[in-house]
Amino acid sequence: MSYFNFEKIKYEGSNSTNTLAFKEYNEDEVVLGKPMKEHLRFAMSWWHTLSSFGSDPFGGETMSRSWIKKDAIKTAKAKVDAGFEFMQKLGIPYFCFHDRDLISEGKDLKETNELLDVISDYILEKMKATGIKCLWGTANCFNNKRYVHGAATSCNADVFAYAAAQIKKAIEITKKLGGENYVFWGGREGYETLLNTDTELELDNFAYLLKLAKDYANEIGFKGQFLIEPKPKEPTKHQYDFDVQTVLGFLRKYKLDKDFKMNIEANHATLAGHTFQHELNIARINGVLGSIDANQGDMLLGWDTDQFPTNIYDATMAMYEVIKNGGLNSGGLNFDSKVRRGSFTDEDLAIAYIAGMDTFAKGLKVAAKLYEDKVLEEFVAKRYSSYNSGIGKKIRDKEVSFKELEKYALGNCEITNESGRQEMLESIINQYIYK
Ligand code: XLS
Ligand code: CA
Ligand code: CA
């Protein structure tokens, strides 16, 4: 049985007007010495692609997908069939999932875990037959009402224990599926009001759960990279994993910084008041750029709209950071993106993925040219050249005292600065995009 009424999507080049064709993403085209598909490592998200049907706080579902059946196991299996058909037709080499996206919860934890065993066996068969792989798995510790006050940061120790058990199983399933990473998005790890919150205990508990998870992964030989996904708000007013710098401070305090990298989501960056590039850059210079949740927000709205990425400028600067990072290693670009409520056909879903993949392919190509031509590197190196000799070199080498700096400043009253040339650089980037 087929779920999608279109053929395999082909690359037709930038002159094509076919909405069901790639214009920029040509998976085997070599950029900076390796094929596009290896730079981008695209992944389909199980939740927004197969389990999201257009409901919002003001109204119900608008999408009726043919893989939704009356029975939970039949639905779970049909989702696997539909998901693998979709990935094959789009040429998407990876997927990522929450435990609860794969199959709904049973009557208790034991039954839920048994259901996960059944569905992960079925997924494994499909993986073997198609060569499609798992980029990452995660546990959904936020939907169920037991997580009303958080999971690891809940005021209720029974909830902490339940979350730990759920994460233990999710790590086991991710290992079974050969997942290359495991993600922690702190769904409800935050607070609504300080009037009822012990932030110190909550943060200690949060770090302890992460440590237990890492210890367990080591114990069972799960080699995937652990990733934390920062987000500043929504659902809670204050999420503890606010942004990359906040998470870095937290990891360093609890001595977890060697074991975790970050999964950076574009829309979470903008919710934190940063650009996507800022978050990638701060992760890169700290050696924790692990993977990317590729989406975009609506700049006029203050919530996580999770839209498919179509902004070439943002994608270019994101890929520039990825290139400067030497790639994403075990990470990739997963589409944590959902089609708009009004885009309710299956074809809209395919067109959205094509647009997202083309956007990042174009971004990769432009970023590669910028990088090869050293456009920004040469400008930035010259801008900071005062640190290459004289007093600047002594500052860089940390070989100077306040007294020496004062003596230097007293003898150097005429300071000359140079223009930062922001507009010139922006216009050069535009020219690279136009080409
Ligand atoms: C929600 C997050 C979520 C994580 C995985 O805003 O983006 O989808 O990626 O739990
Ligand atoms: Ca999100
Ligand atoms: Ca995400």
Side-chain angles (χ1 to χ4, degrees):
M1 179 187 171
S2 169
Y3 288 93
F4 294 97
N5 193 19
F6 52 83
E7 300 301 311
K8 184 161 173 45
I9 307 298
K10 296 196 188 90
Y11 168 72
E12 292 185 2
S14 56
N15 293 328
S16 169
T17 54
N18 178 4
T19 46
L20 287 172
F22 292 115
K23 327 289 185 304
E24 301 291 337
Y25 182 59
N26 184 12
E27 60 176 28
D28 293 321
E29 187 179 320
V30 173
V31 177
L32 294 177
K34 64 178 181 188
M36 277 189 179
K37 64 180 174 204
E38 287 177 28
H39 281 279
L40 296 162
R41 294 162 57 87
F42 287 128
M44 180 196 81
S45 65
W46 217 262
W47 57 105
H48 282 156
T49 311
L50 301 169
S51 321
S52 168
F53 310 112
S55 58
D56 70 11
F58 304 96
E61 295 171 356
T62 60
M63 299 161 199
S64 54
R65 303 297 194 202
S66 50
W67 52 89
I68 300 305
K69 314 283 179 200
K70 294 224 160 52
D71 162 278
I73 296 188
K74 282 196 181 127
T75 296
K77 288 193 169 169
K79 276 163 86 173
V80 177
D81 295 340
F84 276 83
E85 181 187 335
F86 190 77
M87 288 185 276
Q88 280 185 292
K89 285 188 165 168
L90 272 289
I92 299 172
Y94 291 91
F95 64 91
C96 50
F97 69 92
H98 297 85
D99 47 2
R100 303 301 178 246
D101 307 330
L102 301 184
I103 194 153
S104 38
E105 289 193 33
K107 67 176 187 314
D108 54 23
L109 187 59
K110 185 168 175 291
E111 188 182 284
T112 304
N113 287 349
E114 285 161 6
L115 290 168
L116 276 171
D117 291 337
V118 171
I119 200 67
S120 53
D121 281 346
Y122 192 61
I123 293 175
L124 208 49
E125 274 174 40
K126 289 274 177 186
M127 291 174 71
K128 284 184 186 145
T130 60
I132 288 171
K133 296 191 254 181
C134 174
L135 187 67
W136 53 261
T138 188
N140 177 333
C141 293
F142 45 92
N143 270 150
N144 192 291
K145 69 178 181 192
R146 73 176 70 88
Y147 296 120
V148 58
H149 300 309
T153 64
S154 174
C155 49
N156 184 345
D158 286 351
V159 177
F160 182 102
Y162 197 101
Q166 191 182 329
I167 290 166
K168 174 179 175 288
K169 184 67 181 176
I171 293 172
E172 289 164 9
I173 296 291
T174 305
K175 176 176 185 268
K176 172 175 169 181
L177 299 179
E180 298 186 25
N181 308 269
Y182 183 87
V183 168
F184 291 85
W185 170 56
R188 292 185 188 273
E189 312 294 27
Y191 65 79
E192 292 297 336
T193 172
L194 287 174
L195 297 177
N196 64 12
T197 303
D198 182 342
T199 48
E200 192 176 14
L201 179 62
E202 291 199 2
L203 284 161
D204 279 356
N205 285 350
F206 193 7
Y208 185 49
L209 181 119
L210 295 175
K211 183 193 171 312
L212 291 174
K214 189 65 204 168
D215 288 349
Y216 184 66
N218 289 339
E219 189 184 322
I220 63 169
F222 172 62
K223 301 262 182 292
Q225 173 67 52
F226 271 27
L227 301 168
I228 293 197
E229 183 178 320
K231 185 175 182 180
K233 53 190 169 190
E234 198 210 53
T236 66
K237 175 172 81 173
H238 177 87
Q239 300 268 134
Y240 289 128
D241 294 337
F242 192 95
D243 63 0
V244 172
Q245 279 194 296
T246 308
V247 175
L248 271 172
F250 167 83
L251 291 175
R252 287 173 181 159
K253 172 176 175 184
Y254 291 100
K255 302 196 173 21
L256 293 165
D257 49 311
K258 302 281 174 294
D259 291 325
F260 288 80
K261 289 191 175 181
M262 311 250 184
N263 185 40
I264 311 289
E265 179 172 318
N267 201 170
H268 296 180
T270 46
L271 288 176
H274 302 308
T275 60
F276 184 22
Q277 187 186 0
H278 168 92
E279 286 293 80
L280 295 166
N281 178 285
I282 298 298
R284 172 173 70 76
I285 64 167
N286 284 287
V288 293
L289 174 49
S291 200
I292 290 178
D293 260 23
N295 67 3
Q296 70 186 30
D298 184 314
M299 292 306 144
L300 301 181
L301 302 175
W303 64 89
D304 195 9
T305 56
D306 286 324
Q307 292 170 222
F308 274 88
T310 50
N311 184 323
I312 307 277
Y313 200 101
D314 284 356
T316 298
M317 298 325 295
M319 290 315 297
Y320 176 74
E321 293 297 332
V322 171
I323 290 170
K324 297 269 284 183
N325 196 52
L328 290 169
N329 300 310
S330 66
L333 267 85
N334 80 272
F335 288 104
D336 191 5
S337 325
K338 53 182 185 249
V339 281
R340 299 304 81 196
R341 189 167 192 264
S343 309
F344 45 74
T345 71
D346 293 353
E347 193 177 279
D348 288 317
L349 201 52
I351 291 172
Y353 266 91
I354 294 167
M357 291 162 79
D358 269 344
T359 299
F360 271 88
K362 176 74 178 174
L364 168 66
K365 288 187 278 188
V366 177
K369 284 211 185 76
L370 279 170
Y371 182 74
E372 275 176 330
D373 294 353
K374 296 193 174 11
V375 175
L376 299 176
E377 280 77 4
E378 280 176 2
F379 185 86
V380 172
K382 185 160 174 294
R383 187 160 185 245
Y384 292 88
S385 58
S386 67
Y387 288 93
N388 293 344
S389 59
I391 195 74
K393 183 158 186 327
K394 282 189 168 180
I395 295 170
R396 178 168 269 201
D397 293 344
K398 317 223 166 9
E399 284 172 352
V400 75
S401 67
F402 252 28
K403 278 189 189 158
E404 191 181 348
L405 288 166
E406 182 194 44
K407 191 171 164 224
Y408 180 85
L410 285 170
N412 183 36
C413 295
E414 283 299 313
I415 293 176
T416 31
N417 271 311
E418 287 187 18
S419 166
R421 294 192 172 265
Q422 180 174 335
E423 296 78 3
M424 179 195 80
L425 294 168
E426 286 169 348
S427 101
I428 293 174
I429 305 266
N430 277 357
Q431 282 165 1
Y432 272 75
I433 292 175
Y434 300 151
K435 275 182 208 162

